[in-house]
Amino acid sequence: MNIITIIIIAVTVIFSFKGFNDPIFFDRYKFNVGAIIKSRQWDRMITSAFLHGDVMHLIFNMFTFYFFSNLIIQNCGIIFFLILYVGSILTGNLLSLDRHKKENYYSAIGASGGVSGILFASIAFSPTIEILIFPIPVPIPGWIFGIIYLAYSVYGMRAQLGNIGHEAHLGGAVFGIIVAVLFSILFSIPIHINYLLIMLIPLAFLAYLVYKEK
């Protein structure tokens, strides 16, 4: 496991456990629309990714991050990996901020935006990579997982489904795909465009709905 992966996981665990036991600390560094827009606390756009709601939320995100981070680092290098992770966090939170800009109370936490970026960049490079989804007992190809994930994120965002940051998931995933495609073009790395186009069908549907509403 790369030292950068270890550092990010360690900082996230320490930060999260501090938040578990310190409500004031948690409240100061979580994503909150009112605090970001009115108080200009833009650091929350990043710090919120290092906080989690509970231990299971933390474990799920960090295991996913652990399993896919090395694939990106080995193929693209540390700099690309860091740009991808931080950029995915910011993109996901920017989408959340835009979506909920009139809801000062709206709050969110978790590394899901960044993890989604890492995951979807990995799928973009290796669309047939096998992914396990609980409780499905057999792994499914990454591109099929991508369709399901993006479709659910689009639906969840539109329907405001559950206590989940669907915008962060969607924004991070899209950033991961875009950056992976740009990297493949710049450095002549093969990428399976057919799988990507199929996987992006839910996003095309979302674009259609947004255009229709206008």
Side-chain angles (χ1 to χ4, degrees), residues 1-10 65-82:
M1 183 164 55
N2 189 278
I3 186 64
I4 297 299
T5 303
I6 295 173
I7 291 172
I8 291 175
I9 291 175
F65 176 77
Y66 164 75
F67 282 119
F68 290 95
S69 61
N70 283 341
L71 188 152
I72 298 298
I73 292 173
Q74 290 170 6
N75 287 282
C76 306
I78 295 293
I79 300 301
F80 174 87
F81 170 76
L82 291 174

Side-chain angles (χ1 to χ4, degrees), residues 59-162:
I59 290 174
F60 181 81
N61 272 341
M62 290 301 97
F63 262 104
T64 306
F65 176 77
Y66 164 75
F67 282 119
F68 290 95
S69 61
N70 283 341
L71 188 152
I72 298 298
I73 292 173
Q74 290 170 6
N75 287 282
C76 306
I78 295 293
I79 300 301
F80 174 87
F81 170 76
L82 291 174
I83 291 173
L84 176 62
Y85 188 62
V86 175
S88 297
I89 291 170
L90 287 173
T91 304
N93 281 338
L94 282 171
L95 183 58
S96 296
L97 192 64
D98 180 70
R99 181 75 173 175
H100 299 281
K101 58 181 176 289
K102 295 181 180 179
E103 305 167 31
N104 289 331
Y105 62 87
Y106 181 83
S107 298
I109 38 90
S112 299
V115 173
S116 293
I118 297 295
L119 174 58
F120 272 81
S122 300
I123 294 173
F125 289 124
S126 303
T128 58
I129 190 172
E130 294 186 334
I131 297 177
L132 278 169
I133 307 176
F134 181 82
I136 301 174
V138 294
I140 63 174
W143 67 275
I144 294 179
F145 168 84
I147 294 173
I148 297 171
Y149 186 99
L150 292 175
Y152 179 71
S153 295
V154 168
Y155 173 73
M157 184 178 72
R158 301 281 298 180
Q160 297 185 353
L161 186 65

Side-chain angles (χ1 to χ4, degrees), residues 15 28-31 43-51:
F15 212 78
R28 169 57 185 85
Y29 292 106
K30 69 182 180 181
F31 178 96
D43 58 310
R44 293 172 182 261
M45 298 287 285
I46 293 293
T47 58
S48 59
F50 294 90
L51 291 171

Side-chain angles (χ1 to χ4, degrees), residues 6-49:
I6 295 173
I7 291 172
I8 291 175
I9 291 175
V11 171
T12 304
V13 169
I14 292 169
F15 212 78
S16 292
F17 271 88
K18 172 67 174 174
F20 294 157
N21 299 296
D22 188 341
I24 296 175
F25 179 87
F26 184 90
D27 189 62
R28 169 57 185 85
Y29 292 106
K30 69 182 180 181
F31 178 96
N32 177 264
V33 171
I36 293 170
I37 294 178
K38 292 186 175 181
S39 302
R40 305 297 181 186
Q41 294 176 352
W42 296 101
D43 58 310
R44 293 172 182 261
M45 298 287 285
I46 293 293
T47 58
S48 59

Side-chain angles (χ1 to χ4, degrees), residues 170-191:
L170 188 62
V174 171
F175 185 83
I177 293 171
I178 291 173
V179 173
V181 171
L182 290 176
F183 189 87
S184 71
I185 294 171
L186 290 173
F187 297 97
S188 301
I189 296 177
I191 200 162

